[in-house]
């Protein structure tokens, strides 16, 4: 989704059809990248956004779902009767999976190194380039 957003593509079209996105991106850019390479690009975009938020002091605890959305008062009937969501454990598992720090919300140093974005964000050198 990050790559689709950055390309200015319509989310509706991307979500409701089988667009040949890799072919589109390669045709527009002149590149010859694989789907995996584009997926990594999207991951880099999202991790840079998270690094920016972490740098600006936005933390995971600043994002709170309503009690109703996570079943703090579980429904008493229907297919989700009695269901609640443990957001803390869900968040921690997700952050671990994607390589983000559960305290800062930004990518871990290892994830930044993997994505090739570590130098500028670790040194705070945001002005060069």
């Amino acid at each position: 989704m990050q790559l689709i957003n950055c390309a200015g593509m319509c989310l509706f079209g991307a979500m409701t059809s089988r667009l040949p996105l890799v072919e589109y991106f390669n045709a527009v850019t002149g590149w010859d990248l694989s789907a995996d390479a584009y997926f990594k690009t999207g991951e880099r975009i999202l991790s840079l956004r998270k690094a920016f938020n972490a740098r600006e002091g936005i933390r995971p605890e600043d994002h709170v779902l309503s009690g109703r959305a996570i079943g703090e008062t579980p429904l008493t009937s229907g297919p989700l009767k009695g269901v609640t969501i443990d957001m803390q454990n869900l968040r921690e598992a997700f952050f671990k999976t994607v390589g983000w720090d559960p305290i800062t919300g930004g990518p871990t140093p290892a994830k930044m190194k993997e994505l090739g974005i570590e130098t500028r964000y670790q040194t705070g050198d945001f002005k060069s380039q």
Side-chain angles (χ1 to χ4, degrees):
M1 294 314 313
Q2 298 301 315
L3 191 58
I4 289 168
N5 285 336
C6 285
M9 295 183 70
C10 173
L11 292 178
F12 180 77
M15 297 294 290
T16 60
S17 62
R18 298 185 68 116
L19 298 175
L21 295 175
V22 171
E23 290 82 2
Y24 287 175
F25 290 139
N26 282 337
V28 169
T29 63
W31 299 337
D32 186 24
L33 298 180
S34 67
D36 288 342
Y38 283 114
F39 184 85
K40 187 61 76 176
T41 300
E43 185 179 14
R44 186 176 296 110
I45 292 166
L46 184 56
S47 290
L48 281 168
R49 292 176 66 157
K50 294 299 284 183
F52 174 86
N53 286 349
R55 184 192 75 186
E56 297 303 311
I58 299 170
R59 300 290 179 249
E61 62 269 11
D62 295 330
H63 304 282
V64 180
L65 289 175
S66 73
R68 182 174 178 152
I70 61 175
E72 278 183 1
T73 303
L75 297 175
T76 57
S77 63
L80 297 178
K81 177 182 176 180
V83 173
T84 60
I85 298 172
D86 182 351
M87 282 306 297
Q88 184 63 30
N89 283 334
L90 184 61
R91 178 186 292 138
E92 288 174 12
F94 177 76
F95 278 31
K96 183 177 181 182
T97 299
V98 297
W100 295 344
D101 184 300
I103 305 300
T104 68
T108 63
K111 177 52 80 169
M112 289 193 295
K113 184 173 182 171
E114 173 194 327
L115 297 173
I117 60 175
E118 77 279 5
T119 304
R120 293 179 71 204
Y121 280 88
Q122 286 179 345
T123 63
D125 178 17
F126 304 107
K127 295 177 187 145
S128 64
Q129 296 185 9

